Amino acid sequence: MALAQRIEDRDEGQARAPAIASALRTIETEREGLACLMAAIGNGLGEPFAQAVARIGAARGRVICTGMGKSGHVARKIAATMASTGTPALYVHPAEASHGDLGMIQPDDVVLALSWSGETTELADIIGYTRRYRVGLVAITSNAASTLGREADTCLALPKAKEACPNGLAPTTSTAMQLALGDALAVALLEARGFSARDFSVFHPGGRLGASLRQVREVMHGGERLPLVALGTPMRAAVAEIDAKGFGSVLVVDDEGRLAGILTDGDVRRAIFSREGLEGLPVEAVMTHNPRTIAPETLLAKALQIQEAMKITALVVVDQDRPVGLVHYHDLLRTGVA
């Protein structure tokens, strides 16, 4: 039985080997294409790329992304990436544009048209429309001498590269290059606008990503739920406050309400074995001084990072050195961040 299993495993491994080799060849070929793209940006393509960023960034309207076939699918993704990172964008199907959707394109917009050959028939009406009504046109094509390349205000000419398809026909490396250049445009525009993680959260309220972009103030426990005692409070009373609020800790403040320390269940357990007369001691004799704090506007993703790195379950939320809240690891679990 063991021998039969080994033979079966060997046969399965031999059957998988061609697929694995194919995957490695595809990725290697596409990586070579991206390397060519990087070289091109450093040698000639960089200037029109900067012009495209400036043109789109200065536009008062939207980026109208368009393309047919595989280029159209890439254009849709570029539009989605731009829209989610602070550059208003939408996709217009070039064939539909010829039947009324040209009305979606306004004079303040910029058209970003993708066509590997630059001679895609369905793009003709959009190109003509942009020229007639002086709408900005940025082209991504491999043929700067094509109709699209010649008519564009800015032409981003992609370098020639071998397709990963063994027949050299299916768009593979070419679409990877288009997508990478589109991402580069979106990120350059994001950086030029100073688009922050907080801005990003406005467009990504759903799922785990949306949860991680929420702020600590949205989930922290504050007000009467906040476990607080003053310096000088006897340990018995401090432990009672821990039990009453149920967070496994109590915050200690000075006479002016500034954070002085934190007493945790762990502090109490350790003190039991090292001190006598624990109940009568003041809280500051046992508490942890200089606890880890965080600001109310901190993102939950950052709070999670700190808790996991420091191996702590709670963070004190402070505003001008005064505790205003407590965020527990369980709160992050409930929001879906952790």
Side-chain angles (χ1 to χ4, degrees):
M1 186 67 179
L3 177 59
Q5 184 63 52
R6 287 198 298 271
I7 293 174
E8 183 179 345
D9 291 344
R10 182 200 64 192
D11 292 343
E12 288 183 0
Q14 291 174 344
R16 290 195 298 267
I20 295 171
S22 175
L24 292 173
R25 285 196 302 271
T26 297
I27 295 170
E28 175 62 25
T29 304
E30 294 192 357
R31 184 173 70 174
E32 290 173 358
L34 293 178
C36 290
L37 178 58
M38 290 181 64
I41 291 176
N43 184 28
L45 181 55
E47 183 58 32
F49 179 85
Q51 292 173 7
V53 172
R55 179 177 294 276
I56 295 172
R60 291 181 294 178
R62 305 149 303 170
V63 181
I64 308 298
C65 299
T66 189
M68 277 297 295
K70 305 301 184 295
S71 293
H73 293 306
V74 174
R76 286 180 186 273
K77 192 275 178 184
I78 293 172
T81 300
M82 286 186 172
S84 70
T85 53
T87 300
L90 58 88
Y91 173 78
V92 172
H93 194 289
E96 296 294 342
S98 300
H99 296 274
D101 283 1
L102 282 172
M104 295 181 178
I105 306 173
Q106 298 298 306
D108 289 338
D109 296 336
V110 174
V111 171
L112 178 64
L114 281 69
S115 170
W116 186 251
S117 68
E119 298 293 349
T120 303
T121 304
E122 291 86 352
L123 286 174
D125 288 337
I126 287 184
I127 294 172
Y129 184 86
T130 64
R131 303 305 80 188
R132 179 179 180 183
Y133 294 103
R134 299 183 180 180
V135 178
L137 176 61
V138 175
I140 296 181
T141 179
S142 67
N143 186 3
S146 64
T147 301
L148 176 60
R150 293 194 312 270
E151 294 295 334
D153 299 301
T154 302
C155 178
L156 303 179
L158 296 171
K160 302 292 185 180
K162 178 184 176 182
E163 297 285 12
C165 168
N167 300 316
L169 298 174
T172 46
T173 305
S174 56
T175 50
M177 293 166 66
Q178 288 177 324
L179 184 58
L181 191 61
D183 284 343
L185 282 172
V187 172
L189 289 162
L190 176 158
E191 293 173 343
R193 286 188 166 91
F195 194 78
S196 68
R198 185 57 183 167
D199 296 324
F200 194 79
S201 70
V202 174
F203 303 125
H204 297 77
R208 185 169 182 175
L209 175 59
S212 69
L213 293 170
R214 294 173 64 187
Q215 290 184 331
V216 166
R217 68 168 76 250
E218 299 177 53
V219 301
M220 71 181 189
H221 302 276
E224 294 190 2
R225 285 287 296 146
L226 192 61
L228 281 177
V229 296
L231 284 172
T233 300
M235 281 292 296
R236 175 186 289 272
V239 171
E241 179 71 358
I242 293 176
D243 290 340
K245 297 299 173 64
F247 295 114
S249 60
V250 62
L251 309 183
V252 185
V253 295
D254 62 18
D255 293 340
E256 297 183 7
R258 291 190 297 262
L259 182 67
I262 186 172
L263 179 71
T264 67
D265 285 337
D267 294 327
V268 177
R269 288 195 302 271
R270 286 186 291 272
I272 288 174
F273 297 103
S274 61
R275 294 175 181 268
E276 295 183 1
L278 181 63
E279 294 182 356
L281 290 175
V283 67
E284 58 265 29
V286 181
M287 74 180 187
T288 297
H289 297 265
N290 301 315
R292 189 74 191 207
T293 62
I294 199 167
E297 62 273 11
T298 304
L299 298 181
L300 294 187
K302 180 63 176 179
L304 176 63
Q305 178 189 346
I306 293 172
Q307 289 187 341
E308 291 183 337
M310 303 296 295
K311 293 181 171 57
I312 54 179
T313 58
L315 283 169
V316 185
V317 186
V318 297
D319 185 8
Q320 297 182 348
D321 296 329
R322 288 171 170 77
V324 295
L326 190 71
V327 59
H328 197 277
Y329 188 77
H330 291 163
D331 301 320
L332 303 183
L333 287 174
R334 281 191 291 271
T335 61
V337 179

